[in-house]
Amino acid sequence: MLTGAGVSAESGVPVFRGEEGLWRDRRPEDLATPAAFERDPRLVWEWYAWRREVVGRCRPNAAHLSIARWSLAREGRTVVTQNVDGLHLDALLEAGGADVPARARPIELHGSLFRVRCVRCGRRRTSREPIDASSERTLPRCGRCGAPLRPDVVWFGEPLDPEALAAAFGAAAAAEACVVVGTSAVVHPAASVATVAADRGACLIEVGPEPTALTPLADISIRARASEAIPALLES
Ligand code: OAD
């Protein structure tokens, strides 16, 4: 299963592109870059603190919960997401309790708003606490080496985490079926997860209100919102 922003649309997660994605007239392309963080880490953290607050108030919808139950039900079911909102994980906690088996955890190809990573030693950790971005002095620092922490998300111009990529493409190559939901499938390498699965003979099922870059390859296209189509597809 490959998911994108559309699966979280009905949870109210603001979109990245267009007017709604703007913050104080700044575009994400000007803030979500390593150069922006180097230039002004306080400003970048202020933006992420705001995003964490807004997204942190969103709850998993019927599609996230259905996907969580589906992935918990049997081994060999992999969820690969481009979303950084953490809602697949929240849904797993809601559906299955605190002990989420590692195999059921989503592969978060673009990282997570609710994880931080040390710019020097690379150590990652979950981070739900509010960030104080009022001055550079109050920004979060690594508990191990003291260097600045950054959001553990993939920024423009950065490569994806090689381990996450390998796991996603490994699952795609072995898949009998691949459900693609809520993504325009124009951002690579994420979208290639679906094309690799299709090339290896998997049945490709796409779910979303509009045609996408993957429509010509799809065996089945379900033109509906995720919260309606996904429970019907996975649990009927
Ligand atoms: P997009 O915003 O490009 O595409 C969202 C897709 O969801 C569109 O095809 C919509 O038609 C569809 N959609 C909208 N509402 C829906 C609903 N209720 N149910 C199902 N589908 C719905 O988002 P992504 O493809 O996820 O990358 O974008 C991919 C990447 O582009 C993001 O992860 C981000 C961005 O650059 C990074 O930040 C690295």
Short mmCIF file of all heavy atoms in Angstrom, two decimals, residues 113-154:
data_model
loop_
_atom_site.label_atom_id
_atom_site.label_comp_id
_atom_site.label_asym_id
_atom_site.label_seq_id
_atom_site.Cartn_x
_atom_site.Cartn_y
_atom_site.Cartn_z
N LEU A 113 6.95 14.62 11.08
CA LEU A 113 6.99 15.89 11.82
C LEU A 113 7.28 15.64 13.29
O LEU A 113 7.73 16.55 13.99
CB LEU A 113 5.63 16.59 11.73
CG LEU A 113 5.21 17.24 10.43
CD1 LEU A 113 3.79 17.77 10.57
CD2 LEU A 113 6.17 18.38 10.09
N PHE A 114 6.95 14.42 13.75
CA PHE A 114 7.04 14.14 15.18
C PHE A 114 8.27 13.30 15.53
O PHE A 114 8.27 12.52 16.48
CB PHE A 114 5.73 13.49 15.66
CG PHE A 114 4.56 14.40 15.40
CD1 PHE A 114 3.68 14.16 14.35
CD2 PHE A 114 4.39 15.55 16.16
CE1 PHE A 114 2.63 15.03 14.08
CE2 PHE A 114 3.35 16.43 15.90
CZ PHE A 114 2.47 16.17 14.86
N ARG A 115 9.30 13.45 14.70
CA ARG A 115 10.62 12.91 15.03
C ARG A 115 11.65 14.01 14.81
O ARG A 115 11.47 14.88 13.96
CB ARG A 115 10.98 11.72 14.11
CG ARG A 115 10.34 10.41 14.50
CD ARG A 115 11.11 9.22 13.89
NE ARG A 115 11.51 9.45 12.53
CZ ARG A 115 10.85 8.98 11.47
NH1 ARG A 115 9.75 8.28 11.62
NH2 ARG A 115 11.29 9.23 10.26
N VAL A 116 12.74 13.96 15.60
CA VAL A 116 13.85 14.89 15.40
C VAL A 116 15.12 14.09 15.16
O VAL A 116 15.19 12.92 15.53
CB VAL A 116 14.04 15.84 16.62
CG1 VAL A 116 12.90 16.84 16.71
CG2 VAL A 116 14.16 15.04 17.92
N ARG A 117 16.10 14.75 14.54
CA ARG A 117 17.36 14.06 14.19
C ARG A 117 18.51 15.01 14.45
O ARG A 117 18.41 16.21 14.13
CB ARG A 117 17.30 13.68 12.72
CG ARG A 117 18.47 12.86 12.26
CD ARG A 117 18.21 12.35 10.86
NE ARG A 117 18.71 13.26 9.85
CZ ARG A 117 18.04 13.65 8.77
NH1 ARG A 117 16.79 13.23 8.56
NH2 ARG A 117 18.59 14.44 7.89
N CYS A 118 19.60 14.49 15.02
CA CYS A 118 20.77 15.33 15.30
C CYS A 118 21.52 15.62 14.00
O CYS A 118 21.77 14.71 13.21
CB CYS A 118 21.69 14.61 16.28
SG CYS A 118 23.23 15.52 16.57
N VAL A 119 21.87 16.89 13.79
CA VAL A 119 22.56 17.24 12.55
C VAL A 119 23.98 16.68 12.54
O VAL A 119 24.58 16.53 11.47
CB VAL A 119 22.61 18.77 12.30
CG1 VAL A 119 21.21 19.35 12.16
CG2 VAL A 119 23.38 19.50 13.38
N ARG A 120 24.54 16.38 13.74
CA ARG A 120 25.92 15.87 13.75
C ARG A 120 25.97 14.35 13.84
O ARG A 120 26.52 13.70 12.95
CB ARG A 120 26.68 16.47 14.94
CG ARG A 120 28.18 16.12 14.89
CD ARG A 120 28.89 16.51 16.17
NE ARG A 120 28.86 17.94 16.39
CZ ARG A 120 28.86 18.51 17.60
NH1 ARG A 120 28.87 17.74 18.69
NH2 ARG A 120 28.86 19.82 17.73
N CYS A 121 25.37 13.76 14.89
CA CYS A 121 25.53 12.31 15.07
C CYS A 121 24.40 11.50 14.42
O CYS A 121 24.48 10.28 14.36
CB CYS A 121 25.70 11.95 16.55
SG CYS A 121 24.19 12.09 17.52
N GLY A 122 23.36 12.16 13.95
CA GLY A 122 22.31 11.46 13.22
C GLY A 122 21.31 10.74 14.10
O GLY A 122 20.37 10.11 13.60
N ARG A 123 21.47 10.81 15.43
CA ARG A 123 20.54 10.12 16.32
C ARG A 123 19.12 10.67 16.15
O ARG A 123 18.93 11.88 16.08
CB ARG A 123 21.00 10.32 17.76
CG ARG A 123 20.26 9.51 18.76
CD ARG A 123 20.71 9.91 20.14
NE ARG A 123 20.24 8.98 21.13
CZ ARG A 123 20.26 9.23 22.43
NH1 ARG A 123 20.75 10.37 22.86
NH2 ARG A 123 19.81 8.36 23.29
N ARG A 124 18.16 9.72 16.10
CA ARG A 124 16.76 10.12 15.93
C ARG A 124 15.99 9.81 17.19
O ARG A 124 16.30 8.86 17.89
CB ARG A 124 16.11 9.25 14.83
CG ARG A 124 16.60 9.46 13.46
CD ARG A 124 15.74 8.60 12.52
NE ARG A 124 15.85 9.08 11.18
CZ ARG A 124 16.70 8.61 10.28
NH1 ARG A 124 17.53 7.63 10.60
NH2 ARG A 124 16.73 9.11 9.06
N ARG A 125 14.93 10.60 17.42
CA ARG A 125 14.00 10.21 18.47
C ARG A 125 12.62 10.78 18.18
O ARG A 125 12.49 11.75 17.44
CB ARG A 125 14.49 10.63 19.86
CG ARG A 125 14.52 12.12 20.10
CD ARG A 125 14.74 12.41 21.58
NE ARG A 125 14.98 13.83 21.81
CZ ARG A 125 14.01 14.75 21.91
NH1 ARG A 125 12.75 14.40 21.80
NH2 ARG A 125 14.32 16.02 22.12
N THR A 126 11.62 10.12 18.79
CA THR A 126 10.26 10.65 18.71
C THR A 126 10.21 11.95 19.48
O THR A 126 10.89 12.11 20.49
CB THR A 126 9.29 9.62 19.35
OG1 THR A 126 9.44 8.41 18.65
CG2 THR A 126 7.85 10.09 19.28
N SER A 127 9.42 12.90 19.01
CA SER A 127 9.35 14.19 19.69
C SER A 127 7.95 14.77 19.52
O SER A 127 7.57 15.17 18.43
CB SER A 127 10.41 15.11 19.09
OG SER A 127 10.07 16.45 19.26
N ARG A 128 7.22 14.79 20.62
CA ARG A 128 5.84 15.30 20.60
C ARG A 128 5.74 16.61 21.37
O ARG A 128 4.72 17.28 21.35
CB ARG A 128 4.91 14.28 21.26
CG ARG A 128 4.60 13.09 20.37
CD ARG A 128 3.28 13.32 19.64
NE ARG A 128 3.09 12.41 18.54
CZ ARG A 128 2.17 12.58 17.60
NH1 ARG A 128 1.37 13.62 17.62
NH2 ARG A 128 2.06 11.73 16.62
N GLU A 129 6.80 16.95 22.12
CA GLU A 129 6.72 18.11 23.00
C GLU A 129 6.72 19.42 22.20
O GLU A 129 7.25 19.46 21.09
CB GLU A 129 7.90 18.11 24.01
CG GLU A 129 9.28 18.35 23.42
CD GLU A 129 9.91 17.12 22.74
OE1 GLU A 129 9.25 16.07 22.64
OE2 GLU A 129 11.05 17.24 22.29
N PRO A 130 6.11 20.49 22.74
CA PRO A 130 6.14 21.76 22.01
C PRO A 130 7.57 22.27 21.85
O PRO A 130 8.41 22.04 22.74
CB PRO A 130 5.33 22.71 22.90
CG PRO A 130 4.72 21.89 23.96
CD PRO A 130 5.43 20.58 24.03
N ILE A 131 7.86 22.90 20.73
CA ILE A 131 9.20 23.44 20.48
C ILE A 131 9.18 24.94 20.79
O ILE A 131 8.29 25.65 20.34
CB ILE A 131 9.58 23.25 18.98
CG1 ILE A 131 9.55 21.77 18.59
CG2 ILE A 131 10.92 23.92 18.66
CD1 ILE A 131 10.67 20.92 19.13
N ASP A 132 10.14 25.40 21.57
CA ASP A 132 10.24 26.84 21.86
C ASP A 132 11.20 27.45 20.85
O ASP A 132 12.42 27.32 20.97
CB ASP A 132 10.75 27.03 23.30
CG ASP A 132 10.88 28.51 23.65
OD1 ASP A 132 10.66 29.36 22.76
OD2 ASP A 132 11.20 28.81 24.81
N ALA A 133 10.63 28.11 19.85
CA ALA A 133 11.46 28.71 18.79
C ALA A 133 11.54 30.22 18.96
O ALA A 133 11.72 30.95 18.00
CB ALA A 133 10.90 28.34 17.41
N SER A 134 11.43 30.67 20.21
CA SER A 134 11.45 32.13 20.44
C SER A 134 12.86 32.69 20.26
O SER A 134 13.02 33.88 19.98
CB SER A 134 10.90 32.46 21.83
OG SER A 134 11.64 31.75 22.80
N SER A 135 13.88 31.87 20.45
CA SER A 135 15.25 32.34 20.19
C SER A 135 16.12 31.14 19.82
O SER A 135 15.73 29.99 20.08
CB SER A 135 15.84 33.04 21.42
OG SER A 135 16.38 32.07 22.30
N GLU A 136 17.28 31.40 19.26
CA GLU A 136 18.14 30.29 18.85
C GLU A 136 18.59 29.46 20.07
O GLU A 136 18.81 28.27 19.97
CB GLU A 136 19.35 30.83 18.08
CG GLU A 136 19.70 29.91 16.92
CD GLU A 136 20.62 30.54 15.90
OE1 GLU A 136 20.19 31.49 15.19
OE2 GLU A 136 21.76 30.08 15.84
N ARG A 137 18.68 30.13 21.20
CA ARG A 137 19.12 29.50 22.45
C ARG A 137 18.16 28.41 22.95
O ARG A 137 18.57 27.45 23.60
CB ARG A 137 19.24 30.62 23.50
CG ARG A 137 20.26 30.45 24.58
CD ARG A 137 20.33 31.70 25.45
NE ARG A 137 19.08 32.47 25.47
CZ ARG A 137 18.03 32.20 26.25
NH1 ARG A 137 18.07 31.20 27.10
NH2 ARG A 137 16.95 32.96 26.20
N THR A 138 16.88 28.58 22.64
CA THR A 138 15.88 27.64 23.17
C THR A 138 15.60 26.47 22.21
O THR A 138 14.80 25.60 22.52
CB THR A 138 14.53 28.36 23.45
OG1 THR A 138 14.07 28.93 22.21
CG2 THR A 138 14.68 29.45 24.49
N LEU A 139 16.25 26.45 21.06
CA LEU A 139 15.99 25.38 20.09
C LEU A 139 16.49 24.04 20.63
O LEU A 139 17.45 24.00 21.40
CB LEU A 139 16.67 25.70 18.75
CG LEU A 139 16.15 26.94 18.03
CD1 LEU A 139 16.88 27.14 16.70
CD2 LEU A 139 14.65 26.88 17.80
N PRO A 140 15.86 22.92 20.21
CA PRO A 140 16.25 21.62 20.77
C PRO A 140 17.66 21.20 20.35
O PRO A 140 18.11 21.49 19.24
CB PRO A 140 15.20 20.67 20.19
CG PRO A 140 14.64 21.35 18.99
CD PRO A 140 14.76 22.82 19.23
N ARG A 141 18.33 20.51 21.30
CA ARG A 141 19.70 20.03 21.04
C ARG A 141 19.78 18.55 21.37
O ARG A 141 19.00 18.04 22.17
CB ARG A 141 20.71 20.81 21.89
CG ARG A 141 20.84 22.24 21.42
CD ARG A 141 22.04 22.96 22.01
NE ARG A 141 22.35 24.11 21.16
CZ ARG A 141 23.26 24.14 20.20
NH1 ARG A 141 24.01 23.08 19.96
NH2 ARG A 141 23.45 25.22 19.47
N CYS A 142 20.76 17.89 20.78
CA CYS A 142 20.95 16.45 20.95
C CYS A 142 21.36 16.12 22.38
O CYS A 142 22.29 16.74 22.91
CB CYS A 142 22.02 15.97 19.97
SG CYS A 142 22.37 14.21 20.07
N GLY A 143 20.66 15.13 23.00
CA GLY A 143 20.98 14.74 24.37
C GLY A 143 22.32 14.03 24.45
O GLY A 143 22.92 13.95 25.51
N ARG A 144 22.79 13.52 23.32
CA ARG A 144 24.05 12.76 23.34
C ARG A 144 25.25 13.64 23.03
O ARG A 144 26.23 13.66 23.76
CB ARG A 144 23.98 11.62 22.34
CG ARG A 144 25.17 10.67 22.43
CD ARG A 144 24.87 9.32 21.84
NE ARG A 144 24.58 9.42 20.41
CZ ARG A 144 24.17 8.38 19.67
NH1 ARG A 144 24.01 7.20 20.22
NH2 ARG A 144 23.93 8.53 18.39
N CYS A 145 25.18 14.42 21.92
CA CYS A 145 26.39 15.16 21.53
C CYS A 145 26.22 16.69 21.62
O CYS A 145 27.19 17.42 21.40
CB CYS A 145 26.84 14.75 20.12
SG CYS A 145 25.84 15.46 18.81
N GLY A 146 25.01 17.15 21.91
CA GLY A 146 24.83 18.59 22.14
C GLY A 146 24.64 19.43 20.88
O GLY A 146 24.41 20.63 20.96
N ALA A 147 24.74 18.80 19.71
CA ALA A 147 24.57 19.54 18.45
C ALA A 147 23.08 19.84 18.23
O ALA A 147 22.21 19.23 18.86
CB ALA A 147 25.12 18.72 17.29
N PRO A 148 22.76 20.79 17.32
CA PRO A 148 21.36 21.10 17.07
C PRO A 148 20.58 19.90 16.53
O PRO A 148 21.13 19.07 15.80
CB PRO A 148 21.43 22.20 16.01
CG PRO A 148 22.80 22.78 16.12
CD PRO A 148 23.69 21.66 16.56
N LEU A 149 19.31 19.84 16.90
CA LEU A 149 18.39 18.85 16.32
C LEU A 149 17.60 19.53 15.21
O LEU A 149 17.33 20.72 15.28
CB LEU A 149 17.41 18.36 17.39
CG LEU A 149 17.99 17.53 18.52
CD1 LEU A 149 16.92 17.27 19.59
CD2 LEU A 149 18.54 16.20 18.01
N ARG A 150 17.24 18.75 14.21
CA ARG A 150 16.40 19.25 13.11
C ARG A 150 15.17 18.35 12.98
O ARG A 150 15.19 17.20 13.48
CB ARG A 150 17.18 19.28 11.79
CG ARG A 150 17.72 17.92 11.39
CD ARG A 150 18.17 17.88 9.96
NE ARG A 150 17.04 17.59 9.07
CZ ARG A 150 17.11 17.49 7.76
NH1 ARG A 150 18.27 17.65 7.15
NH2 ARG A 150 16.04 17.19 7.03
N PRO A 151 14.13 18.82 12.32
CA PRO A 151 13.00 17.92 12.06
C PRO A 151 13.50 16.75 11.21
O PRO A 151 14.29 16.93 10.30
CB PRO A 151 12.04 18.80 11.25
CG PRO A 151 12.45 20.22 11.53
CD PRO A 151 13.92 20.19 11.77
N ASP A 152 13.00 15.52 11.53
CA ASP A 152 13.44 14.34 10.78
C ASP A 152 12.53 14.14 9.57
O ASP A 152 11.80 13.14 9.46
CB ASP A 152 13.42 13.11 11.70
CG ASP A 152 14.10 11.91 11.05
OD1 ASP A 152 14.90 12.11 10.10
OD2 ASP A 152 13.81 10.77 11.47
N VAL A 153 12.56 15.13 8.70
CA VAL A 153 11.78 15.07 7.45
C VAL A 153 12.74 15.29 6.28
O VAL A 153 13.82 15.87 6.46
CB VAL A 153 10.66 16.13 7.41
CG1 VAL A 153 9.60 15.87 8.47
CG2 VAL A 153 11.22 17.52 7.55
N VAL A 154 12.29 14.82 5.13
CA VAL A 154 13.12 14.98 3.92
C VAL A 154 12.83 16.37 3.34
O VAL A 154 11.68 16.71 3.08
CB VAL A 154 12.79 13.89 2.89
CG1 VAL A 154 13.58 14.11 1.60
CG2 VAL A 154 13.10 12.51 3.46
#
